[in-house]
Amino acid sequence: MNPRTRVVVTGMGVVAPIGLTIDAFWQALTVGKSGAAPITRFDASDFKTQFACELKGFDPLNYLERKQANRLDAFCQYALAATQEAMVDAGLDLGSHSQLERDRIGVVYGSGIGGLKVLETQAKNLANKGPDALSPFMIPMMIGNMAPGLIAMTYDLKGPNHGVVSACSTGNDALCDALLLMRQGYADVMVCGGSEAAITPLGVGGFAAMRALSTRNDQPLTASRPFDINRDGFVIGEGAGTLVLETLEHAQARDAHIYAEVLGFGASSDAYHYAAPDPTGSGVVLAINRALADAQITPQQVDHINMHATSTPLGDVAESSAIQQVFGDRAQQLKLSATKSMTGHLLGAAGAIEAIAAVLALRHSTVPPTINVESLDPACPLNYTLGAADQSPL
């Protein structure tokens, strides 16, 4: 085991509410495009929240055979679509890999909720028609770890494989798990990320019942407004993000294109409440400090942070406070951004998609904007790159 094995990003893929490819996604981010619109997945006219950040123009048949697509929940379709782009982007010619090499390529992929639409449909079948109406594919279509399983089966990857479920941290935890597995010598390449497809009656209704969602039904485009004094909740989104991580040695041996290096990670728990963040930001402080320590860098070496910033009254303040506590005077010089103002909150996919946004920010030396902020909350006093992208050097 070598805890300092260097790990790099060599491939990325995304299907998001503002773009179905990496290039389309990045272009939309840099111009500040909102992905929010009235819900089309179902009739939401009786719901408190009637809008979301749905995928636009996604056709599973562009990625999958019809028979397979029909047997998969949308969260698995999204995961496979994003992974297809990431594998091509990484230039992994698996046809030339021996079985021994495939044995050292693994998958860690997550979903906060999994196959919610399948669960809804099958519950209705059970209630209306009885148990004989249940699909034999219900369980494999619904369970969250089916996404990493399908990715492994698609590419014949025999390395470590598991699913991650940790709510909004799911995508980040998948990346961290992949990093640890490579540091521990279990794999040379890891495919990792997160996927979510929770824009369903139960998903939207459940979050609305928690009073977590924005109710700006007359202004969906501008409803996701992190740090705005009048923010009233998050906008639910859907999609997937996939990253291919490799040990530096493996990437260099095959002359792979390297986007960025993953220097370290930090993990913590607020241990505070099942839904609300600790208002002091103590858990976030722990995670950031642990990430800095693991990466062996100082706060002065950080230039940009893609914030979690869900546009909730409590969360944005707690996160901003944590950044001030960790970075002190340096906090005012940081280039921060909240891409959920454009994509909405993709729950289990959020961390992966925002990791991709952060890598692209480094690659293009451009910090995406935070949009829709009309009146900055005095409790959020940092530089959030409001309104327009920052193209000064990183």
Side-chain angles (χ1 to χ4, degrees):
M1 172 179 174
N2 179 5
R4 299 318 310 174
T5 295
R6 297 178 67 183
V7 174
V8 295
V9 180
T10 58
M12 300 186 293
V14 66
V15 288
I18 58 173
L20 299 181
T21 65
I22 287 291
D23 290 342
F25 172 67
W26 178 245
Q27 182 178 359
L29 280 184
T30 56
V31 300
K33 179 181 178 181
S34 172
I39 290 171
T40 64
R41 293 278 183 271
F42 59 92
D43 181 2
S45 57
D46 291 335
F47 285 66
K48 295 177 182 177
T49 295
Q50 300 168 7
F51 60 95
C53 288
E54 298 175 332
L55 289 189
K56 285 85 172 171
F58 178 83
D59 184 350
L61 300 184
N62 290 334
Y63 310 92
L64 306 166
E65 296 294 331
R66 186 178 299 276
K67 184 177 181 180
Q68 184 185 27
N70 289 339
R71 291 180 175 178
L72 299 180
D73 185 85
F75 90 96
C76 285
Q77 295 176 356
Y78 299 163
L80 288 169
T83 300
Q84 185 179 112
E85 182 183 24
M87 296 296 275
V88 171
D89 188 42
L92 280 171
D93 180 13
L94 296 180
S96 66
H97 280 56
S98 67
Q99 188 58 61
L100 179 61
E101 290 172 313
R102 289 173 186 269
D103 290 350
R104 294 190 55 77
I105 303 176
V107 186
V108 179
Y109 218 90
S111 178
I113 297 178
L116 190 57
K117 181 61 177 178
V118 168
L119 179 61
E120 287 184 13
T121 301
Q122 294 302 308
K124 289 177 182 177
N125 287 346
L126 177 63
N128 297 331
K129 302 177 183 179
D132 289 342
L134 292 174
S135 168
F137 296 101
M138 184 193 77
I139 298 300
M141 289 171 72
M142 184 187 71
I143 55 177
N145 71 304
M146 186 50 61
L150 286 165
I151 292 169
M153 288 186 283
T154 299
Y155 299 99
D156 190 24
L157 308 178
K158 300 293 179 63
N161 185 294
H162 69 265
V164 179
V165 182
S166 50
C168 308
S169 300
T170 295
N172 285 333
D173 284 339
L175 297 174
C176 295
D177 286 359
L179 173 66
L180 286 174
L181 285 166
M182 283 187 285
R183 283 182 176 179
Q184 293 169 336
Y186 288 106
D188 300 316
V189 181
M190 291 296 298
V191 181
C192 54
S195 179
E196 205 73 84
I199 302 177
T200 72
L202 266 181
V204 174
F207 281 114
M210 291 175 62
R211 299 182 181 179
L213 298 182
S214 170
T215 57
R216 292 177 179 270
N217 294 314
D218 58 338
Q219 298 176 309
L221 275 174
T222 60
S224 185
R225 47 178 63 204
F227 317 114
D228 188 275
I229 189 67
N230 295 312
R231 65 193 181 280
D232 69 329
F234 73 82
V235 178
I236 191 170
E238 63 178 356
T242 301
L243 297 95
V244 176
L245 305 186
E246 295 187 49
T247 65
L248 178 62
E249 182 180 14
H250 189 274
Q252 289 176 332
R254 67 181 189 88
D255 197 26
H257 174 264
I258 294 173
Y259 282 101
E261 183 172 358
V262 184
L263 292 178
F265 80 100
S268 67
S269 170
D270 275 7
Y272 178 77
H273 187 269
Y274 55 76
D278 183 338
T280 69
S282 62
V284 182
V285 169
L286 277 173
I288 296 175
N289 279 329
R290 288 167 178 170
L292 292 170
D294 188 47
Q296 299 179 355
I297 63 173
T298 67
Q300 286 68 39
Q301 291 173 278
V302 177
D303 294 313
H304 166 54
I305 300 174
N306 187 305
M307 296 180 67
H308 184 54
T310 58
S311 188
T312 57
L314 296 177
D316 294 357
V317 173
E319 188 177 9
S320 296
S321 173
I323 289 174
Q324 290 177 288
Q325 291 175 62
V326 172
F327 292 92
D329 293 341
R330 172 70 175 163
Q332 296 297 330
Q333 282 74 55
L334 292 173
K335 299 174 182 179
L336 311 173
S337 68
T339 49
K340 286 186 181 71
S341 61
M342 294 170 275
T343 66
H345 189 357
L346 276 75
L347 309 175
I353 284 180
E354 287 157 26
I356 290 170
V359 170
L360 290 171
L362 289 173
R363 181 188 183 194
H364 297 286
S365 197
T366 299
V367 176
T370 300
I371 66 171
N372 301 329
V373 178
E374 297 174 351
S375 299
L376 190 64
D377 186 341
C380 301
L382 303 176
N383 171 22
Y384 304 108
T385 318
L386 301 181
D390 183 338
Q391 296 183 317
S392 56
L394 285 175

